[in-house]
Amino acid sequence: NGQVIGVVAEAGTGKSRLCFEFLERCRAKGMRVFEGRAVAHGRNIPFLPILDVFRSYFGITSEDNDKASRVKIAGNMVELDQKFADTIPLVYDFLGVADPQNPAPRLDPEARQRQLIGVIRQIIRSASDKQPTVTMIEDLHWMDAASAEFLEHMVDARQGTHSLLLLNFRPEYRAEWMQKSWYRQIPLAPLDEKATAELLTNLLGNHVTISALAAPIHARTGGNPFFIEEVVQNLIETKHVEGTAGNYRLVTAVERLEVPATVKSILASRIDRLPEREKRLLQTASVIGKDFAETLLSEIAGLSTDDLKSAISNLRRAEFIYDLSLYPSVEYAFKHPLTQEVALGSLLTERKRKIHRTLAEAIERQDPEHLDERAPLLAHHWEESGEVLIAARWHRRAAEWVAKADLGAASRHWSRVRTLLPSLPNDTESAQFAVSACHQLLSLGWRLGLAPKEADELLEQGQHYAKLIQNSAASLALTMCHARWRMGATGESAEFLNAATRCHRAAHEGDDVIDQANAWHQLTDAFSWVARFPDAIQLAEQGFRQYPRVEVGDSWFGLSPQCIVSMWHGSNLTWAGQITAGFSEWDRTRRLIMEDGTLEVGVYLRVLANFAHHLSGDAVSALDYAKEAEVLTRSVGQPPNLVALSDVAYCCATSISGRPKESIDHARRAVEIFQSLEKQFLGVALAYLSEAHLLSGELAEADDVAKEAIRQCRHDLRGNYEVLAHGVHARAILRRNGMSGADAATEAIAKAAELIERTGARSWSPHLLEWRAELAQVLGDETLRNSLILQAAKEFDAIGAPLQAQRLRKEKKA
């Protein structure tokens, strides 16, 4: 049966060595072994360790071009199972070797992700049917968010297979899949003094003088095996012990023996004692990273082939590096990350910069077909080389590439662009960098959070540079991004509407149709936020006829205006009592999301669809959309605003599924996030939380939260959600106080009716009739109650909510 084993230990305790030895034994037994590793600089590179694993599975090496890679992928997949043939283009695309003659089908990003995960799960299961397999992923503590989601599916896929997933990581790493029954964790503890003595005996021999070393070495190293080995190497090299391997004796009195206070100082001394050629090569390798390919090292080392091989051999003998892979390409690794760190720190600044520059140029030459994937790494090397303009270009490319999978990583790259601005030339390109960085950071700020002072500085700086290059579109975009951030920070939707109205007017005073389409998007957006549904619907339909399709690169928010307006149009139609038409419009939204590749919009679409199913009483579909929203949220790096929206979606789904206690938990988590981020959603979450309390019978809590929701929704102009809060308030009063609460309930229902009329949120009309029916029942007017129930059922049918109508008719018969 499939197993997942996690080896957890502090750095230097031996987890990598243990896993290496285990894999060597597996290979010796003829088992298939696949490997991937996360690296410290890879946190901003989506899927890096996962791509390593599947390239390993397909036998793809750095020497394979795209065509050769496709041949290997196709051959392996068809050999496993003929049914994989149709999904081969999708795997090509995922592994970055797309076939221009046979491209992957255009899918909704969520559907693409789901299908890809399904294919990979099947590959894992099918591969193990033929023979046992072992997959190892190393250093999970450095794993990016996109890889973490794939890893969860890889863990699930092991159950019932003849395969082992071996993982290692440091103690700070945590993941939900660790609760699976088929997961086992192996902690590696530091050595105690007795074990330290045994290791010293193994390394130095059993001469009587060696036993005296155990206590001082254990005290200084804390029992860390790597640190112990480094102390031993230092003793040998400094002639404090003499002899041959396994047969040394101490020649310096223990009381005069100085064990360095830190292993870093030991490593620094050992590196300094190396011959100049070996020392320079080790330093050069340290710039590449913990692992390095011989082909890349040879290109930047400046050594002849014979000198390179000789120097590498000497470094291996001295145990600074070890062989990582000999076939199909030769790769090496530092014995420990600390060795690389110390070697890197020993480089003088000017030489380090030169190596970074040479390395960046070599990577660009060696891997020209995958430069988007390499962009974060190239940005790092060019920045370290001091070439700030080139670094800024690569940071921008990295930000644009990573944005679809990890918004947080995109924000970090744009922040680096902005940090580099003072060092850039005073020219148009630099000004464009400044405008883009300020614009994108403001745009990401309302998703990830941004301090008011920084938001204002971004607006001021961006507007300054936009004016310098006379870019009016950028100026409008910055204004709207800042207004959008402010709405999230304060919940004040009215200010956002005012800004959108001004931008719409300004754009239409010019003749740039792209600016006009973006302004149309923003004003439709604003009308939707403040629940002016008839205005939003009219503007949306007018714009679809008037404006051509705007590409993502020309949009103000990095999101196609037509895509966002279509999403809002579907939502506004559902609120306006045209639920079937709303879902039909969302079919267009899905097509646009598929074309744009914007997973983030997919989350909003699922949440809005979930709200619509909450209105229509479809618990199954509401839950499906909540699950899809959660999956997509993980796919874009789990920004907190989307995490909270997913919780609201689960709140809606579980409340109408008869699980109000779960609903309360989800809503509370969302409220906690929305109190400091995306505040315009706070009233929404509170309204649904009040309903969850009502359904669970917690009437006092329901009433209190409903009043808070009413205040917040009124502040934010979220009239459609304020309707729900008034409905909860009315029912909570009736259920607590009976007839004595009738007057207050009547007033609350009247306010709800007024809001429905003002906003155009007709989907609440049948719910309103149901609330009035409950009031009539409390007042003892059963005839009126039955009449209102029947009328509500008819209106539910009319708006496209047949499940609600069926429920009411069943309740009346009962």
Side-chain angles (χ1 to χ4, degrees):
N1 200 18
Q3 290 287 317
V4 181
I5 294 178
V7 180
V8 55
E10 296 286 357
T13 312
K15 57 185 181 296
S16 294
R17 182 69 187 201
L18 175 64
C19 293
F20 172 79
E21 295 291 347
F22 173 74
L23 294 185
E24 288 299 292
R25 295 188 184 189
C26 291
R27 289 188 178 97
K29 292 181 179 181
M31 299 172 70
R32 297 187 70 188
V33 173
F34 315 117
E35 295 180 71
R37 66 177 41 80
V39 294
H41 64 260
R43 286 183 175 137
N44 294 338
I45 308 176
F47 304 120
L48 185 62
I50 305 301
L51 292 173
D52 276 351
V53 167
F54 286 97
R55 285 172 181 148
S56 170
Y57 171 79
F58 292 119
I60 297 170
T61 72
S62 57
E63 297 175 0
D64 291 321
N65 60 23
D66 285 2
K67 185 176 180 180
S69 299
R70 289 195 293 269
V71 169
K72 290 183 176 182
I73 293 168
N76 275 276
M77 290 185 69
V78 173
E79 182 184 345
L80 275 179
D81 198 319
Q82 193 67 38
K83 69 184 180 184
F84 288 145
D86 291 342
T87 59
I88 289 174
L90 190 66
V91 178
Y92 288 164
D93 189 58
F94 178 62
L95 293 177
V97 293
D99 184 356
Q101 304 303 318
N102 185 22
R106 301 296 293 270
L107 297 172
D108 176 296
E110 186 275 333
R112 178 183 181 276
Q113 189 92 333
R114 187 171 59 243
Q115 186 172 337
L116 190 58
I117 288 170
V119 169
I120 287 174
R121 286 174 69 117
Q122 281 298 109
I123 289 173
I124 291 169
R125 300 184 75 85
S126 298
S128 69
D129 287 343
K130 295 184 179 294
Q131 65 180 119
T133 63
V134 178
T135 301
M136 187 184 94
I137 304 179
E138 194 165 5
D139 293 332
L140 300 190
H141 47 275
W142 285 327
M143 182 174 277
D144 63 282
S147 294
E149 183 193 353
F150 260 75
L151 176 60
E152 185 175 341
H153 291 283
M154 291 175 70
V155 169
D156 287 341
R158 299 292 147 180
Q159 190 178 25
T161 67
H162 300 292
S163 67
L164 170 67
L165 178 59
L166 179 61
L167 312 164
N168 68 40
F169 46 88
R170 294 180 188 169
E172 64 267 21
Y173 180 80
R174 296 284 187 277
E176 288 186 10
W177 49 258
M178 291 178 175
Q179 307 305 315
K180 303 288 185 184
S181 61
W182 57 94
Y183 171 71
R184 181 182 173 194
Q185 187 156 296
I186 301 175
L188 298 185
L191 304 180
D192 59 19
E193 189 170 329
K194 181 180 178 183
T196 298
E198 291 176 5
L199 179 57
L200 288 173
T201 298
N202 182 264
L203 295 171
L204 294 173
N206 57 8
H207 191 273
V208 65
T209 58
I210 299 300
S211 60
L213 292 173
I217 289 179
H218 182 269
R220 286 295 174 89
T221 63
N224 185 297
F226 168 71
F227 296 171
I228 294 169
E229 289 178 343
E230 289 303 316
V231 169
V232 166
Q233 284 293 131
N234 187 62
L235 291 173
I236 294 170
E237 291 175 7
T238 54
K239 309 297 184 184
H240 288 299
V241 296
E242 293 181 354
T244 57
N247 189 29
Y248 286 96
R249 62 188 180 86
L250 182 66
V251 295
T252 302
V254 172
E255 57 271 15
R256 288 170 43 211
L257 188 67
E258 292 185 7
V259 178
T262 69
V263 173
K264 279 191 175 183
S265 62
I266 296 173
L267 285 167
S269 298
R270 290 193 60 216
I271 291 170
D272 200 48
R273 288 195 297 269
L274 282 169
E276 188 63 20
R277 183 186 66 179
E278 280 73 7
K279 178 181 176 181
R280 290 178 69 86
L281 186 64
L282 191 72
Q283 291 170 329
T284 300
S286 73
V287 176
I288 302 175
K290 181 178 180 290
D291 310 333
F292 51 95
E294 188 176 76
T295 53
L296 193 56
L297 182 62
S298 65
E299 189 164 344
I300 67 171
L303 295 175
S304 68
T305 301
D306 288 343
D307 276 349
L308 181 72
K309 290 189 179 296
S310 174
I312 287 175
S313 179
N314 290 338
L315 290 172
R316 287 169 61 236
R317 243 190 323 270
E319 297 189 22
F320 284 103
I321 63 174
Y322 64 89
D323 296 339
L324 187 63
S325 169
L326 298 178
Y327 179 84
S329 58
V330 180
E331 294 182 9
Y332 303 97
F334 280 87
K335 185 179 177 184
H336 191 273
L338 200 59
T339 310
Q340 181 219 353
E341 181 185 326
V342 173
L344 186 64
S346 67
L347 273 166
L348 295 176
T349 301
E350 202 48 51
R351 182 163 171 251
K352 185 190 297 185
R353 285 183 172 181
K354 184 178 179 181
I355 295 171
H356 276 291
R357 184 183 305 113
T358 306
L359 178 57
E361 292 168 344
I363 292 171
E364 290 181 38
R365 283 195 303 273
Q366 286 192 4
D367 201 11
E369 295 179 346
H370 303 104
L371 292 181
D372 280 342
E373 184 180 331
R374 300 291 188 188
L377 183 59
L378 285 164
H380 163 73
H381 287 307
W382 281 115
E383 187 172 344
E384 290 296 317
S385 77
E387 297 284 356
V388 289
L389 179 59
I390 302 175
R393 290 170 183 159
W394 282 109
H395 275 300
R396 178 180 62 187
R397 186 165 176 175
E400 292 169 348
W401 178 72
V402 79
K404 292 179 182 179
D406 190 338
L407 299 180
S411 179
R412 288 190 288 275
H413 283 295
W414 283 120
S415 293
R416 290 307 306 159
V417 171
R418 187 171 178 233
T419 301
L420 294 174
L421 288 175
S423 303
L424 295 180
N426 187 20
D427 59 13
T428 300
E429 184 182 13
S430 298
Q432 289 170 338
F433 277 136
V435 171
S436 296
C438 294
H439 175 195
Q440 294 299 330
L441 287 169
L442 276 171
S443 180
L444 291 165
W446 56 263
R447 288 108 145 182
L448 304 173
L450 190 64
K453 182 180 179 182
E454 185 178 359
D456 292 342
E457 288 173 353
L458 286 167
L459 177 63
E460 183 180 354
Q461 184 180 25
Q463 292 286 25
H464 168 74
Y465 282 102
K467 186 176 180 181
L468 280 179
I469 57 177
Q470 298 181 328
N471 190 333
S472 60
S475 181
L476 290 173
L478 284 159
T479 297
M480 286 312 306
C481 283
H482 186 269
R484 179 65 182 81
W485 163 81
R486 188 166 182 80
M487 180 172 67
T490 66
E492 295 174 359
S493 304
E495 187 173 329
F496 182 61
L497 176 60
N498 290 335
T501 303
R502 291 194 301 272
C503 280
H504 189 264
R505 187 183 306 116
H508 284 78
E509 287 172 356
D511 56 5
D512 190 319
V513 71
I514 301 298
D515 286 355
Q516 291 171 4
N518 277 302
W520 160 67
H521 157 205
Q522 293 302 305
L523 189 54
T524 308
D525 202 23
F527 279 147
S528 304
W529 281 114
V530 301
R532 286 173 53 174
F533 300 125
D535 291 333
I537 290 169
Q538 181 182 358
L539 185 63
E541 292 174 351
Q542 174 189 331
F544 284 130
R545 294 190 300 268
Q546 184 174 348
Y547 302 113
R549 177 74 188 278
V550 176
E551 298 301 323
V552 172
D554 292 323
S555 67
W556 290 352
F557 279 85
L559 306 168
S560 159
Q562 279 79 3
C563 184
I564 300 299
V565 172
S566 175
M567 179 193 75
W568 275 124
H569 192 42
S571 176
N572 295 336
L573 287 169
T574 64
W575 282 115
Q578 303 174 56
I579 291 177
T580 303
F583 275 96
S584 178
E585 175 62 35
W586 278 331
D587 289 337
R588 169 165 45 182
T589 313
R590 288 188 183 87
R591 290 194 299 273
L592 293 168
I593 290 173
M594 178 183 71
E595 292 169 9
D596 293 346
T598 47
L599 286 173
E600 181 189 7
V601 181
V603 179
Y604 286 107
L605 175 65
R606 267 69 181 182
V607 172
L608 292 173
N610 165 277
F611 291 174
H613 282 302
H614 173 269
L615 278 169
S616 65
D618 187 345
V620 173
S621 296
L623 185 58
D624 286 344
Y625 278 115
K627 290 176 179 176
E628 290 177 14
E630 181 184 32
V631 169
L632 287 177
T633 295
R634 289 201 299 268
S635 299
V636 293
Q638 292 188 289
N641 67 320
L642 297 188
V643 171
L645 278 177
S646 295
D647 264 320
V648 176
Y650 271 114
C651 167
C652 290
T654 51
S655 69
I656 61 173
S657 299
R659 287 143 48 197
K661 294 294 186 184
E662 288 181 46
S663 184
I664 290 169
D665 291 340
H666 285 295
R668 280 177 174 163
R669 284 198 294 268
V671 166
E672 187 175 344
I673 292 174
F674 291 143
Q675 283 172 336
S676 58
L677 179 74
E678 288 272 62
K679 285 188 177 176
Q680 78 277 10
F681 281 118
L682 180 56
V684 179
L686 287 168
Y688 286 123
L689 175 58
S690 70
E691 183 188 49
H693 280 302
L694 181 74
L695 294 174
S696 68
E698 299 171 358
L699 302 180
E701 292 87 346
D703 199 17
D704 289 343
V705 176
K707 291 174 184 174
E708 187 180 353
I710 289 166
R711 286 192 295 273
Q712 190 66 45
C713 287
R714 192 166 292 164
H715 174 266
D716 302 340
L717 303 181
R718 310 307 301 276
N720 49 326
Y721 299 100
E722 188 182 341
V723 171
L724 173 59
H726 282 298
V728 171
H729 177 47
R731 286 173 287 167
I733 291 171
L734 290 173
R735 294 176 192 182
R736 288 178 74 191
N737 304 321
M739 288 188 66
S740 64
D743 289 344
T746 301
E747 182 182 353
I749 292 171
K751 288 179 180 176
E754 179 188 339
L755 283 166
I756 292 169
E757 187 63 32
R758 176 156 56 83
T759 63
R762 300 292 177 193
S763 281
W764 281 124
S765 295
H767 292 274
L768 186 72
L769 290 168
E770 196 174 351
W771 303 337
R772 284 174 170 159
E774 185 169 343
L775 173 60
Q777 186 175 31
V778 169
L779 293 173
D781 193 337
E782 199 63 26
T783 302
L784 178 58
R785 183 256 180 196
N786 290 337
S787 173
L788 289 167
I789 288 292
L790 286 175
Q791 189 180 344
K794 287 179 183 178
E795 289 208 21
F796 273 128
D797 279 328
I799 67 171
L803 292 177
Q804 294 279 34
Q806 291 170 20
R807 173 183 61 82
L808 287 181
R809 291 187 178 106
K810 285 180 183 177
E811 287 179 8
K812 184 177 183 300
K813 286 180 182 178

